[in-house]
Amino acid sequence: LPLAAGCRPSSEGTGEGAARRPDLSGFRITIVQTGGIAGVRRTSSVDGATLTYTQTNGRICAEGADCPAADSLSGPLPERDVRAVERLVAAQWEALMQDYGRSEGGAHLFEYEVEISYAGRTKHFTPDDLTLPPELGTIRDRLFQAIDSARGR
């Protein structure tokens, strides 16, 4: 098919443009969100190597109890969405501290267990709603938006 004047074919996935794009194979992020007024547990993961997400939703259970997920889904995630999350991580990677602690006596807060693998390194964080820094909150929000979009929400 002929190209319209002034248009060029996309170089996405081929040629020079693709060579400069970061490799996503070592990028993985998992966020476990627990608590809130309803006592929920939501685990959300994105795997850059497979361009997929998984998400399970359920309730908090007693330690050691086997509580089945109420909802569990997985599927493909568009590369642009994985790259959007990866770019946020890349921009904040060095500034992200290893941990932010948790608030004492906070009722109905969400607590988070976050694990991010990027550039051959892994960081683990355990903040709550009050100690979650804005940059990590932005990463969390973008991850949740990407999964919700893939799920058709």
Side-chain angles (χ1 to χ4, degrees):
L1 293 171
L3 294 174
C7 294
R8 295 188 303 184
S10 170
S11 64
E12 187 169 330
T14 63
E16 189 177 321
R20 284 183 274 160
R21 292 166 52 173
D23 177 21
L24 294 172
S25 64
F27 177 64
R28 181 168 177 79
I29 181 168
T30 299
I31 299 177
V32 180
Q33 179 185 34
T34 57
I37 201 160
V40 299
R41 178 181 178 86
R42 174 166 69 169
T43 303
S44 306
S45 297
V46 168
D47 187 336
T50 59
L51 299 176
T52 58
Y53 74 90
T54 58
Q55 189 171 67
T56 58
N57 297 292
R59 296 249 182 245
I60 297 174
C61 295
E63 193 168 324
D66 184 24
C67 294
D71 174 26
S72 181
L73 294 168
S74 62
L77 199 59
E79 182 178 347
R80 70 179 178 279
D81 290 340
V82 176
R83 287 196 182 282
V85 176
E86 185 270 342
R87 279 191 301 272
L88 288 172
V89 168
Q92 297 299 325
W93 184 256
E94 294 305 323
L96 290 172
M97 298 178 358
Q98 193 61 25
D99 207 356
Y100 296 92
R102 293 207 168 138
S103 303
E104 291 294 323
H108 308 301
L109 296 175
F110 280 113
E111 294 181 339
Y112 302 92
E113 292 178 34
V114 181
E115 185 172 283
I116 304 173
S117 296
Y118 169 75
R121 295 178 15 208
T122 299
K123 289 187 177 183
H124 186 263
F125 315 96
T126 56
D128 60 35
D129 282 335
L130 298 179
T131 63
L132 184 75
E135 55 274 7
L136 196 52
T138 300
I139 292 167
R140 174 206 58 197
D141 294 347
R142 184 64 187 100
L143 175 80
F144 290 169
Q145 289 168 356
I147 291 173
D148 285 348
S149 178
R151 291 180 68 173
R153 291 181 170 187

